[in-house]
Amino acid sequence: MSEQVTEQQQDDEPREETLAVRRAELRPALEAVLMVADEPLAPASLASAVGHPVDAVVAALTDLAADYTEQGRGFELRSVAGGWRYYTREEYAAVVEGFVLEGQQARLTQAALETLAVVAYKQPVSRARVSAIRGVNVDGVMRTLLTRGLVEEAGQDAETGANLYRTTGYFLERIGVTSLDDLPELAPYLPEMDDLEDELSEMVASAPPSPTGQTSAVPDDASGEEAPAQEDTGE
């Protein structure tokens, strides 16, 4: 009877829950999780992620922060807003700022400005149409505008399947307007595709035969492609 009571008491006693996450070496595990965090992580969240008790996690975080400071690392581990996160040290702020802003203060070339204007007034528009309007290949310039965040993809053309592009909210912010309706009335001065097709047809008809016997609308000394855009300094 006593043995049955003892077994019943043992069954009633709370058992320690098994962590769902496989237990890993604490400090490296914390570093790995914090490395990909984009906001401060609470000790409880970190404990759940690495499979260790909260008290042990807090102690390890404190030790890591002290080690980074003692070693003179370019980053530090801070406890802010109820959580922990990596930050670059204040004394290296100028270096980080220079890296982050590199190229962002560069002035757009004339080719990039012209391409951006075509996109702004003809959007959504394909690269081929922009190239036709400008009369040159705009692939390199479009990549620059995409990288700068001034232009973005806007789906595909239903007929050709070509990618379409439009300006972004950042573009409006940079030029100081609230919507595309605030742009100056320049659209009527841009040629329509029908006009361009007529001009291209005339060029093809009047162009001399190439050495291969094919007619080319592009002179032999002009490929029509732009050299890769080189950014000037200043914005």
Side-chain angles (χ1 to χ4, degrees):
M1 181 66 178
S2 60
E3 292 180 357
Q4 293 179 350
V5 173
T6 302
E7 291 178 357
Q8 182 66 34
Q9 290 177 344
Q10 290 177 348
D11 291 339
D12 293 339
E13 291 179 357
R15 297 180 179 179
E16 183 179 355
E17 295 183 1
T18 302
L19 293 173
V21 179
R22 182 179 179 181
R23 194 181 181 97
E25 190 175 348
L26 180 54
R27 288 176 54 148
L30 288 172
E31 290 177 323
V33 173
L34 288 167
M35 190 65 67
V36 298
D38 57 1
E39 61 183 5
L41 297 179
S45 297
L46 288 168
S48 176
V50 301
H52 285 266
V54 174
D55 291 345
V57 167
V58 172
L61 291 168
T62 303
D63 290 343
L64 282 172
D67 287 349
Y68 296 149
T69 300
E70 182 180 352
Q71 295 166 8
R73 297 293 185 90
F75 60 90
E76 60 184 334
L77 183 57
R78 298 183 198 166
S79 175
V80 294
W84 292 76
R85 186 184 179 188
Y86 284 125
Y87 292 86
T88 54
R89 292 195 184 277
E90 184 177 357
E91 53 265 41
Y92 300 108
V95 177
V96 175
E97 181 179 5
F99 171 75
V100 172
L101 298 180
E102 182 180 3
Q104 297 303 311
Q105 301 300 322
R107 188 186 304 275
L108 289 175
T109 63
Q110 183 66 27
L113 289 172
E114 292 175 2
T115 301
L116 184 58
V118 174
V119 175
Y121 284 102
K122 291 294 188 180
Q123 61 185 307
V125 63
S126 67
R127 291 192 186 192
R129 187 173 185 187
V130 176
S131 295
I133 292 174
R134 292 206 52 230
V136 291
N137 186 293
V138 298
D139 288 353
V141 176
M142 286 293 287
R143 283 193 293 270
T144 297
L145 296 177
L146 286 165
T147 301
R148 294 288 190 90
L150 297 168
V151 168
E152 64 184 1
E153 292 189 3
Q156 294 181 323
D157 185 273
E159 296 182 358
T160 65
N163 289 333
L164 300 176
Y165 298 89
R166 65 188 175 197
T167 53
T168 63
Y170 178 63
F171 163 76
L172 298 177
E173 177 186 338
R174 295 300 298 171
I175 66 174
V177 299
T178 56
S179 72
L180 295 174
D181 295 334
D182 297 329
L183 292 176
E185 291 294 333
L186 296 180
Y189 298 100
L190 293 174
E192 296 295 336
M193 279 304 293
D194 292 341
D195 298 333
L196 288 170
E197 290 175 356
D198 293 340
E199 292 179 9
L200 289 174
S201 297
E202 292 177 2
M203 291 174 64
V204 171
S206 60
S210 67
T212 59
Q214 297 178 343
T215 301
S216 173
V218 182
D220 293 340
D221 59 347
S223 64
E225 295 186 357
E226 289 182 337
Q230 295 181 353
E231 308 298 345
D232 303 326
T233 58
E235 186 170 17

